Amino acid sequence: MPCFHDVVIIGGGPAGCAVALSLLRSHPGASIVVFSDADPLRFKIGESLPPEAAQLLRYLDASLPSTLSTHLPCAGTASAWTSSSLEEHDALMNPFGHGWHLDRARFDETFRTAARSAGAKFSEARVTAIRRENDLWILESEADGSAVHSRWLVDASGRRASAARLLGLRTRKLDDLLAVHALFSSTSGTTEDRDTRTLIETCSQGWWYSALLPSKQRFVAFHCDAPSAKGAIRTRTGFLDFLHDQTNHLARIMGKHEYDFSAPDDGAPVGPQTTAACSSQLEGWQSQAYFVPVGDAALSFDPLSSQGMITALEMGCILGTELAANLIQLDGFSDERVIVERVTERYAEVWKHFEKSRKYYYSVQSRFDGDQFWASRRVNM
């Protein structure tokens, strides 16, 4: 027998759970199932949470802000962007306070626990097929062969946009930015790394990002165009050599605390990994009835903007509230096209703000104007 639900959400990360929590906050009787087939132990990029996010967490579940105490407070940002010297922005000067460097596995599981407690059901099965029949979405998965029927379908599966791809939709990329990243552990028995700032440093072929994690591991990522992410930099020795050749401040931290690649039993990959970090938009999703993408499945941002997590949470809150209004049939929200149009308008506003910010930050960096990476950023602006 098929299972009927008001809403099916593909993806059990912050975006999907924010939709579920926001919807159930406004409509506790709603029937929601979240398909979350991601490995909860696998390291996931997206370890920085801005201070403004605490308000959104409080809106979704009053207990969520207190769980941030298990993560590492971020002391601010240190950036060697417009010059070789560090420009520092202390969290004490932020009216919202400090942000956090997250244990993403723990953060995501806390979100899922809150959504379960609120009434959302979860499935670890992978959705294999999606079709629309008789004004309902029908989803098939690897679970037991039985189909799940729902009124609304939400794609919160991240950059892979798995639900959208099953529907034949594609994303439009603004660039080909990649992140070559790795986790490091200190081998120094005398100097403990206590620098909890977010560190950003430019070089001729791109820019570096680093953050200390609650595990005391240091996350390091080099952002570059696809051609620069080939060859030696994907090897352990090549990555370290490039880091020490191309950075000053980050190399100093890495040397001072004698960092080396984290061992596999620390939950880290063996060496450098490569992940898409480009800016992109899902196109044509408005043509699908009762379908909305959220988070990175809808809009993916250049990590320089620090916009991905906060936008996923904010849009999750907004979308959940509007879906609840549609299910309750409140005046002005009974037509699903109203929700699609409102979400589309909001995404356009977010993208416009992002592009303005992106253009500004890449334009003020002039030390490496003659290099291909930075020249291409000028062309794309």
Side-chain angles (χ1 to χ4, degrees):
M1 292 293 291
C3 300
F4 292 88
H5 297 280
D6 294 315
V7 179
V8 166
I9 301 171
I10 309 297
C17 289
V19 173
L21 284 166
S22 179
L23 198 164
L24 291 166
R25 186 179 190 273
S26 299
H27 183 22
S31 174
I32 302 173
V33 62
V34 181
F35 282 90
S36 180
D37 64 346
D39 181 356
L41 299 180
R42 182 186 179 191
F43 179 78
K44 183 178 180 181
I45 288 184
E47 68 295 326
S48 292
L49 186 70
E52 310 93 279
Q55 296 184 45
L56 297 174
L57 298 184
R58 185 172 294 107
Y59 169 80
L60 293 169
D61 186 313
S63 68
L64 282 176
S66 65
T67 66
L68 293 174
S69 63
T70 63
H71 302 278
L72 188 64
C74 173
T77 301
S79 173
W81 188 264
T82 57
S83 74
S84 59
S85 301
L86 284 179
E87 180 179 345
E88 302 193 43
H89 297 275
D90 198 297
L92 290 174
M93 304 304 293
N94 191 317
F96 293 100
H98 63 76
W100 295 266
H101 291 151
L102 302 173
D103 176 335
R104 267 303 297 271
R106 180 185 297 170
F107 181 75
D108 288 6
E109 187 55 38
T110 298
F111 246 118
R112 288 188 284 269
T113 298
R116 288 189 189 94
S117 298
K121 297 179 181 179
F122 279 74
S123 171
E124 296 181 359
R126 183 174 68 88
V127 174
T128 56
I130 302 174
R131 66 183 187 276
R132 188 157 179 84
E133 289 183 7
N134 301 322
D135 296 328
L136 290 174
W137 287 107
I138 302 176
L139 293 83
E140 298 177 5
S141 70
E142 297 175 332
D144 55 9
S146 62
V148 172
H149 295 204
S150 74
R151 178 177 177 83
W152 281 94
L153 174 62
V154 175
D155 190 345
S157 60
R159 285 180 177 267
R160 57 179 177 164
S162 58
R165 293 185 185 281
L166 285 173
L167 295 174
L169 301 176
R170 292 293 180 264
T171 56
R172 178 179 66 86
K173 295 182 179 180
L174 187 66
D175 52 57
D176 62 351
L177 189 70
L178 293 176
V180 185
H181 58 91
L183 283 175
F184 290 85
S185 297
S186 174
T187 60
S188 172
T190 57
T191 59
E192 180 182 355
D193 189 354
R194 297 183 179 181
D195 188 347
T196 62
R197 300 172 300 174
T198 294
L199 177 64
I200 297 173
E201 186 169 0
T202 56
C203 70
S204 61
Q205 297 183 46
W207 56 276
W208 294 82
Y209 165 94
S210 184
L212 188 65
L213 303 183
S215 62
K216 300 302 181 183
Q217 294 169 296
R218 180 164 283 277
F219 175 72
V220 177
F222 175 57
H223 298 85
C224 59
D225 286 332
S228 300
K230 298 178 180 179
I233 195 172
R234 294 194 184 214
T235 68
R236 293 165 64 93
T237 301
F239 187 87
L240 281 176
D241 287 346
F242 192 71
L243 186 159
H244 286 288
D245 288 344
Q246 296 293 318
T247 71
N248 294 315
H249 307 286
L250 179 55
R252 190 177 302 117
I253 291 175
M254 301 295 284
K256 177 180 179 181
H257 303 290
E258 302 175 14
Y259 275 106
D260 197 1
F261 289 95
S262 296
D265 58 2
D266 288 337
V270 175
Q273 305 293 302
T274 303
T275 303
C278 60
S279 311
S280 63
Q281 293 177 299
L282 182 65
E283 295 187 317
W285 62 269
Q286 297 89 343
S287 65
Q288 303 289 329
Y290 292 90
F291 170 78
V292 185
V294 68
D296 284 349
L299 305 174
S300 295
F301 304 102
D302 183 321
L304 184 63
S305 69
S306 300
Q307 198 170 333
M309 181 73 81
I310 194 69
T311 300
L313 292 174
E314 180 181 332
M315 289 309 303
C317 290
I318 293 172
L319 178 57
T321 301
E322 299 206 351
L323 289 178
N326 175 264
L327 294 173
I328 300 172
Q329 294 289 289
L330 292 182
D331 290 342
F333 290 89
S334 57
D335 183 354
E336 63 97 10
R337 299 310 306 172
V338 171
I339 292 180
V340 170
E341 290 170 4
R342 287 166 64 93
V343 172
T344 300
E345 290 174 2
R346 180 56 181 152
Y347 283 162
E349 293 172 2
V350 169
W351 190 259
K352 182 178 180 180
H353 172 76
F354 158 68
E355 283 198 311
K356 181 179 179 181
S357 175
R358 175 181 177 275
K359 289 177 181 179
Y360 170 76
Y361 283 111
Y362 279 114
S363 68
V364 298
Q365 196 297 114
S366 58
R367 290 191 295 149
F368 308 106
D369 275 355
D371 293 284
Q372 184 175 352
F373 174 85
W374 300 100
S376 67
R377 292 303 176 279
R378 295 285 197 279
V379 171
N380 288 332
M381 291 191 295

